[in-house]
Every structure is written in structure tokens, then in C-alpha cells.
Amino acid sequence: MSGKLTGTSAVMLYLITAGMMAFVLCPIVLIVIISFSDGYFVSFPPTGFTTSWYVSVFQNPEFTGALLFSFVLAVGTTLLSLLLGVPAAFAIVRGNFPGRALCKGLLLSPLIFPVLITGLALLQLFSSYGWSTVKLNLLIAHTVVTSPYVIRTVLTSLELVNPSLEEAARTLGATRWQTFRRVIFPQIAPGIASGAIFCFMVSFDNYPVSMWLADSANTPVPVVLYRQIGTVFDPSVATMSSIIIGLSAVVVLALDRMVGLRRAMAM
Amino acid sequence: MESVEVRLEHLTKEYNNSFVAVDNVTLTVGAGELLALLGPSGCGKTTCLRMIAGLVDPTSGEIVIGGKPITKTPVHRRNMGMLFQNYALFPHMTVAENVAFGLEMRKFSRSEREDKVRKALDLVKLGHLADRIPSQLSGGQQQRVALARALVIEPSMLLLDEPLGALDKSLREQMQLEIRHLQQRLGLTTIMVTHDQDEALTMADQIAVMRAGQMEQIASATEIYQRPATQFVAGFIGASNFFEAEEVSRDGRRAQLVTTSGIPLDVTNMRLVTKRVMVTIRPEAITVRPLGAEDPVAAPNTAVAVVEQVVYRGFMLHYYLRMDDGTEVIAYRQTQTEGWGPVSAVGDRVRISWDADSNHVVPLVAEAAAA
């Protein structure tokens, strides 16, 4: 595409883009504003300015515990998804076995199943086998939901890697492992990173699966948030949400610094 | 670097027990020689090369390099330099890092690596670009880097997989001579895959023409052009006119034949014992003259044809002719020689003639095999 839009069409395009951005960002901004509201109920416009909700939320062990639990769960889920997803993507792209297309479809299928149903199915599975370690169940369930994101992004970036790069490395004396580490990995690192970000975010704010599997001792933060809303509708809910939004932004920005997310997302 | 001889013995590759990509190929490349595997796409030439590199496992047969069978040696221990059509440079490494890659795999010390990389880059005249990344280089420069990367490991042989296919014509011709010069200077036994006959003729000591997985002919460039072994080779390398003919009489290697359309042919090198043969005549061997009344009607090695098209191709004029019985004939006439201008216009009847030595005999392909 060459040339820039001018005149009416340009103005229209800017308006539509601005409208979309407002649509996406407004609720988030609203929540952040409310979190500083000096009132006992959620109301807009806010009735004053206070940071006291932040103080009280951080003094709430139920919330901080859940926040830490969700963070650890999301990190664990991401690592496990990478461990399973990267080799799986590699096998699908470079492997030469019958049923590759079917394999790919099955591995990506959790993306199109309703997550609520996946969670229920896993609950039934775990209870029928009598698996009662909630932490492990949550880790497995989250990985089922998130691993397709890694597989998808790594698949895409692997497909762009010219196979003769591997062949060149091999003829130059590299073993398979050296070829992966020195030639393939640097090519697909942005894909792995963006997959990891998706994993982290999907796990961190997952409600529909956690809802079925969590118990009172192991509660991810979205479940705590939902309970809180059910009990009392004060600005602390908005405060908790703001903290989650901030934490997510920090993780995304950190990964961006590390591997260049813009490059990864552009693929 | 010591030159080694390379032998392929009954090399065969079958896929899924049905498709035979390479069918019982046996050939020898002399130490320091360059052999070109030439053929249409899908003829098995690339599979052949990849088996030598170790990237494809042969179904049967043996690959012998310098007297040592290496068929079971894994690819990363074969010590071969390979060039790919798309250069296959590592995009995240600088030119110098690309060239150093093979040395790192061989555990050379940093100082040795730097020294060897510098020498290799000087060899391909790219010393000044050591710190660039591949995407900043032109196609020709990229392939030179790939060449330096392949040579720096002091490979026992060089494998070229259509290395110049992506370059434009004049650069390609320059690189052909450059690679050939380097290969001869280093005495590096080389096998090259190409579908470009000019490239094969320019670079190769020996040309191996492949077709449908099988070897049609292995010979020097001159031999393969002057004396193609089969109709396929005659048609694939350069252009040829084909006349099916039958023997009338024979005296040693001299013979009188007559084509199916009744043209008498004198043949000086009747090398086949069969009575029915295919005669091939190169277009540049055919002389086109205006039809004169004094010409003998049925002299050997002449015929009458109508000019259908004349194409000016720079240093050649191409005449597309049709004989009275419908047979098409192509004749080339060199330009820039005395009186080279078109002798005939489209629609003219002309006399075509050629020397008896230009008649080359190849086996007549049976209908079933030709189809």
C-alpha cells in the first residue's frame, strides 16, 4: 500500500480509529479513576480523591494471597505451556509423519472450545480419577487452555524460518541441538515471547476454568474479585482491578524490553 | 587442501516404496574436478546432491569420498561445503559470525577463528563487509559470504545446489567464472546441480545429464554437445533438429540413410547397428540459401523448406522453417559476419543444406518409452 489517505476519507479513518480506542480504553480508565474514589460505593463521577483503598486492599491478605497465587500459577502455566508447546510446534512444522494436520487441529482445538465447558470437563475428569491436589489441577487446566497460544505463535514463526538455514548449519558441522540453539531459536524467539505473553495473560485473568477447580485455600485473583463484588460493591474492587491491570502492563513491557514485542506481534 | 575423488555407486532413493527419485546412479568425479548434474526439474539431481550432503538417506547404494565410504556418516560429520539457491545465511549473525559458524562447531580458538575468517572473506573479496548483517548485502555478495562460509571449514568437497539461480544474468555469468576459478585454484572436487545448460557448459569438467532419476549421459561439455548419446540429451542441451531415418547402405562407419520424408542423408559416423535411427542436426550446422534453379533436386543432406519466421537474436538469426511434408526445422545463422543480412523473407522457399559430419546418430526411442 502506497500513498496516504487524504481529505474526507482520512478524517473518517481517524474518527473510526479514535472511536475504537475510546471503546477499548474507556472502561479501563474508568476503573482506574473509580479506584481513587473517596466514597463507600462505586459511583461516577468519583466523589473525591483518596489512596486509602490501595492501602486497605494491600492489607487484605485474601487479596494479596490470591494475587501471589495467580502470579505463580501464571508463571508455572507459561513455563509448562512453553515446554510442551515449542516441541509440539516443531514436530508439526518439521516433522514428517501421517496425521500431521489432524494433530495440529487437535492441539489448537482448546482455542475454539468454550473455556467454561473445558473447565467443567476437566473438573469431572479430575474428580473421576480422584485427583484432589487443587494446585496441580489448576496448573494442568490452565495449561490446557493456554498451550494453543504458544503452539500457534511458534508455528507461525517456525513456518517463516527457511529450512535451508537448518541444512546449512548441519552441513557446517552443527548437531541437531546446536542447530536449534544457535540458528532456529534466535529466529523464533519473538514468537515464543509473544506466545508466553498470551499464556501469562490468559492464565492470570482466567475465571471460567478456575471457578470450577479452585477451593478456599487455592484461589486465583479473578475468583476473589468475583466473590468481592458479590459481597460488597465498594471501590476496592476497582482498586484490585487497577492493580491487576498495572501488573499485566509491567509484565508485557518487561517482555517487550527483553525480546522486542513489537517485532513479535508484527508477525 | 588435498583433492579427493568422489564416487557414487548404484545410488538409489525410493520414496514410500513407490516413487523412485534416483534410480541406480553410478558416477565418478575425478579429484579436483567439477561435475554438473543437469536435468529438468524433478529429474532427481537435487536428491542426488542431498544424499551426498547427508540431508537425505539413500535407499541403497554407496557414496565413497577419497576411497572412504561415508553413506552412514551423519551430515554434521561429513565435512562438506554446501551452497544453497537462497544462500541460507543466518540472518541474525553478521557476515563474520556466519563465516565463523563452522569453525565454532569445530572448536577452533577465537584467535584462530578470526584469522581464518579474515582469510576466507579476503578470498571472496568481502573483507570490508565483515560486520554487516546479511540483509544489508546484495544477492551476489550474500552468495560470496556463503561461499566463504563453506570454504573456511576446508571441506573435502563442495556441493552447489543451483547457487546462482536467483541472480540476474550478467552477475550470474561473472559468479560462474569466479566460482570456477576458485574451485580450480583450490583443487576442490565439486558437484553442482543446475537446470541451466549454459551454466553447466561454462563451469563443468564433466556434465551428467539426468532424466527421471536415471543417468542419460556423463561426458565433457564438448562431448555432450557434439556427440549426445540420446535424443533427450540432444534436445536438452542446445537445440536440435530430429529426423527419423532408415539405413540404405553402409560401408564401415559411412552410411547412406533416408529420412521418413524422403531426404537422403550421408552419415560419416554410423555408430549404431540398428537400421532405424534418429538423426540429430544442430541448427547452427544448417545453411539457408535462396532456392536456385541449378540445384540438384535430391542431393544428400539438403532439403527444400519454406521460411515461417525469422527472429533476430543479437549474435544469431533464428530461421523457423517448414519442409513440404510439414516437418519443422530450425536453423541459426551467425550475424556480424560478411553478408549476414537476412537471405530470405517469410514465405520464401529456400534450400537448406548441411555437412555429412553434422549428421549425428542416436538410438530411435520406442513410442512407448518416448511417451
Side-chain angles (χ1 to χ4, degrees), chain A:
Chain A
M1 293 260 278
S2 67
K4 291 186 171 145
L5 285 176
T6 50
T8 324
S9 50
V11 173
M12 286 294 289
L13 191 64
Y14 285 133
L15 283 176
I16 292 171
T17 310
M20 277 302 292
M21 285 174 70
F23 182 72
V24 170
L25 288 176
C26 266
I28 295 172
V29 173
L30 214 65
I31 281 171
V32 175
I33 292 172
I34 291 169
S35 73
F36 292 103
S37 168
D38 185 13
Y40 284 99
F41 300 99
V42 169
S43 64
F44 196 85
T47 50
F49 179 84
T50 179
T51 53
S52 61
W53 293 115
Y54 282 85
V55 177
S56 78
V57 158
F58 274 112
Q59 283 168 347
N60 175 355
E62 196 193 359
F63 175 71
T64 51
L67 199 61
L68 184 68
F69 183 83
S70 271
F71 184 80
V72 173
L73 178 62
V75 169
T77 301
T78 305
L79 290 178
L80 190 57
S81 296
L82 290 177
L83 203 67
L84 298 173
V86 175
F90 210 79
I92 291 169
V93 176
R94 291 286 190 264
N96 182 21
F97 53 91
R100 246 168 56 197
L102 180 70
C103 209
K104 180 176 167 180
L106 285 175
L107 285 171
L108 294 176
S109 64
L111 282 178
I112 51 167
F113 286 147
V115 181
L116 198 70
I117 307 301
T118 308
L120 180 61
L122 284 166
L123 175 66
Q124 285 181 334
L125 182 83
F126 293 147
S127 54
S128 70
Y129 281 100
W131 293 2
S132 51
T133 315
V134 174
K135 287 187 177 72
L136 190 63
N137 289 354
L138 276 168
L139 181 67
I140 293 169
H142 276 212
T143 304
V144 168
V145 175
T146 61
S147 60
Y149 290 93
V150 173
I151 294 173
R152 163 113 319 211
T153 55
V154 175
L155 266 181
T156 312
S157 49
L158 255 183
E159 274 161 0
L160 293 175
V161 177
N162 181 350
S164 45
L165 291 185
E166 291 171 59
E167 293 173 354
R170 301 279 282 138
T171 59
L172 288 166
T175 61
R176 276 187 193 284
W177 170 243
Q178 283 170 322
T179 304
F180 177 77
R181 194 168 54 84
R182 296 290 311 278
V183 176
I184 309 303
F185 181 75
Q187 305 291 314
I188 63 171
I192 292 177
S194 65
I197 289 174
F198 278 122
C199 274
F200 184 89
M201 298 310 298
V202 168
S203 164
F204 194 67
D205 78 349
N206 179 285
Y207 178 75
V209 168
S210 303
M211 174 195 83
W212 297 111
L213 300 169
D215 63 6
S216 56
N218 305 285
T219 324
V221 80
V223 178
V224 169
L225 217 64
Y226 189 75
R227 277 193 205 142
Q228 180 79 11
I229 294 175
T231 328
V232 50
F233 199 46
D234 66 13
S236 68
V237 175
T239 308
M240 290 174 184
S241 307
S242 301
I243 291 166
I244 293 169
I245 292 164
L247 201 75
S248 312
V250 167
V251 170
V252 171
L253 287 174
L255 265 166
D256 178 34
R257 268 295 160 82
M258 270 158 32
V259 292
L261 187 63
R262 269 178 289 268
R263 200 153 65 98
M265 291 300 192
M267 288 197 312

Side-chain angles (χ1 to χ4, degrees), chain B residues 48-65:
Chain B
C48 233
L49 194 80
R50 294 168 63 82
M51 283 195 280
I52 301 168
L55 298 168
V56 171
D57 289 328
T59 309
S60 62
E62 195 79 71
I63 301 158
V64 183
I65 295 189

Side-chain angles (χ1 to χ4, degrees), chain B residues 159-199:
Chain B
L159 301 171
L160 312 176
D161 185 6
E162 308 235 10
L164 308 174
L167 303 177
D168 61 50
K169 192 170 185 297
S170 64
L171 185 59
R172 192 163 65 224
E173 285 169 2
Q174 185 197 330
M175 288 286 290
Q176 283 168 3
L177 296 176
E178 217 169 291
I179 291 177
R180 172 62 165 159
H181 176 72
L182 214 53
Q183 178 265 331
Q184 283 180 317
R185 208 177 96 197
L186 300 172
L188 202 51
T189 312
T190 301
I191 297 184
M192 171 175 80
V193 159
T194 182
H195 65 265
D196 179 350
Q197 43 166 310
D198 290 332
E199 193 161 282

Side-chain angles (χ1 to χ4, degrees), chain B residues 236-253:
Chain B
F236 191 75
I237 310 222
S240 282
N241 295 294
F242 295 104
F243 297 106
E244 196 181 323
E246 195 164 2
E247 185 182 293
V248 178
S249 67
R250 185 196 295 232
D251 174 17
R253 289 177 84 83

